[in-house]
Amino acid sequence: MKTEEAEVIDELSDFISDLPDECLACVFQSLTPADRKRCSLVCRRWLRIEGQSRHRLSLNAQSDLHPLIPSIFSRFDAVTKLALKCDRRSVGIGDEALASISERCRNLTRLKLRACRDLTDAGMLAFAKNCRGLKKLSCGSCTFGAKGMNAVLDNCPALEELSVKRLRGIIDGAAAEPIGPGLAAASLKTICLKELYNGECFGPLIIGARNLRSLTLFRCSGDWDKLFPLIMDQVTSIIEIHMERIQVSDVGLEAISNSLNLEILHLVKTPVCTNAGLGAVAEKCKLLRKLHIDGWKANRIGDHGLIAVAKSCSNLQELVLIGVNPTKLSLEMLASNCQNLERLALCGSDTVGDAEICCIALKCTALKKLCIKSCPISDHGMEALASGCPNLVKVKVKKCRGVTPEGADWLRANRGSLSVNLDMGEHLDVTANDGVVQDNGDGIPPVVAGQIGAPGIASSSTARSTSFKLSGLLGGRSFMACTLRRLASSNGSSRS
């Protein structure tokens, strides 16, 4: 027979069984994918709740996934964000598998396809008809074509974000079928096109997306000087444009200047663009906050263009110049007129020396972060930062041969609160204040992979930002603590 003490212990030991399913699901959502899988092995109840509370899923989309789809999605029946990724050397899922998934995930809002080369236009049509609530589509290294893309645009009126990279099924040349605008054009806010043979065939979609806020074009062939005037005549709400290695000149920049709400402009490796085009944008786009220019050492953008920015864009907060040769003349005007400039990067410039750094130290009172790479500065320029830029918190110097470790040490000694990172470019990296939080350069959190269902089938929750995880975890603990206190109180009352 159990003693009275043992009975009391048994009565108090299992609070988790008294937790409601919603509370347990909240706990699971605060765990890593690996820990969630371990929890699902504890008992049948935890297996059921873990599956029903998982909204993000990533699967290895090889052909052997097809027969496992019913069992996987009967367990994970609440998935709204799905990633299907296939190895380039493997045979991927086909149209039937994608159609089967769409029939079981009709509430899907996000879909990511990577290297699913066996999907055709027919498969995308079947998917689009079943998942009309789709809000975000990202596809890369797939082989379906314009018909498949148009099927999504015609059947998913809630689509807000579209990202397309290396879509092999698009025909190059005049015979290419135009893409868009479709029903989705009215809701699209973000379009990102990368490495497309005939990116210009997306022109009708971009022109029809009247509520577009962000446009990214990276290595997309086409005559964009011809398209940008048509785009800007129709799309007036755009605030962010990224252009890299595309065929655009001052004609395109003149058209972009009509977007009066533009706040962010990235002009990267477009060697035909000159000071005149940049000046046109600066003159009209007075709300510009972030400007990135990679001049590719073409010397077509320099002081004249930057002076135009300084005169008209007083709200500028971030300026990145790569392969551009500004002098003290333009930098002094930028520092004087752009009083909100907080982040400045000068890379690969032959004209940025100690005099320019002294000018920045004296004039840029709001500057918080400064990055200098491959510029002819020396320790004298570093010394100027000791007494200038009162709000400066971080300095990064890379491959500047005139700057020595002694110069960096002197700066640290004279400004103890300043984080100084010196990279000599010769496997020597000297860093101070390692406690400063740093990002990975692309703003993308790491993705964690896991295994479910069967061997060879990978699954994971899509990575979330650290701050979101921390807030969720803390919130979950608070919720758990309150629940446990209530349960303990009720048990104590019942025993008394």
Side-chain angles (χ1 to χ4, degrees), residues 360-367 385 387-393 415 417:
I360 291 169
L362 181 65
K363 299 284 188 178
C364 293
T365 56
L367 197 65
L385 296 174
S387 57
C389 300
N391 292 301
L392 196 64
V393 296
R415 288 190 69 164
S417 62

Side-chain angles (χ1 to χ4, degrees), residues 26 84 111 257 389:
C26 181
L84 299 173
L111 176 66
S257 69
C389 300

Side-chain angles (χ1 to χ4, degrees), residues 201-246:
C201 67
F202 281 86
L205 173 62
I206 302 172
I207 294 170
R210 295 175 180 266
N211 295 312
L212 191 66
R213 306 277 288 175
S214 175
L215 175 63
T216 299
L217 302 171
F218 172 74
R219 294 182 65 181
C220 294
S221 65
D223 187 357
W224 294 100
D225 280 342
K226 179 181 176 182
L227 280 173
F228 270 123
L230 301 175
I231 293 171
M232 295 306 159
D233 281 345
Q234 301 296 324
V235 183
T236 59
S237 59
I238 195 163
I239 63 173
E240 183 173 357
I241 297 178
H242 294 235
M243 296 180 290
E244 181 169 355
R245 297 192 185 191
I246 65 170

Side-chain angles (χ1 to χ4, degrees), residues 5 43 69 94 131 141 337 359 385 432 496:
E5 183 179 355
C43 62
I69 288 174
C131 299
S141 300
N337 294 357
C359 173
L385 296 174
S496 63

Side-chain angles (χ1 to χ4, degrees), residues 148-266:
M149 189 59 63
N150 280 323
V152 174
L153 297 172
D154 289 336
N155 290 279
C156 301
L159 193 66
E160 296 178 355
E161 296 183 37
L162 177 65
S163 178
V164 183
K165 182 177 181 180
R166 291 194 297 267
L167 191 62
R168 304 303 190 194
I170 296 179
I171 301 173
D172 196 8
E177 179 180 346
I179 294 176
L183 295 177
S187 59
L188 270 173
K189 294 180 174 61
T190 301
I191 296 177
C192 178
L193 306 177
K194 294 184 177 182
E195 299 181 33
L196 298 175
Y197 291 128
N198 191 5
E200 156 173 51
C201 67
F202 281 86
L205 173 62
I206 302 172
I207 294 170
R210 295 175 180 266
N211 295 312
L212 191 66
R213 306 277 288 175
S214 175
L215 175 63
T216 299
L217 302 171
F218 172 74
R219 294 182 65 181
C220 294
S221 65
D223 187 357
W224 294 100
D225 280 342
K226 179 181 176 182
L227 280 173
F228 270 123
L230 301 175
I231 293 171
M232 295 306 159
D233 281 345
Q234 301 296 324
V235 183
T236 59
S237 59
I238 195 163
I239 63 173
E240 183 173 357
I241 297 178
H242 294 235
M243 296 180 290
E244 181 169 355
R245 297 192 185 191
I246 65 170
Q247 183 183 337
V248 65
S249 70
D250 290 344
V251 175
L253 291 181
E254 287 274 0
I256 290 173
S257 69
N258 293 317
S259 182
L260 304 183
N261 295 316
L262 191 67
E263 297 181 12
I264 301 172
L265 176 63
H266 288 214

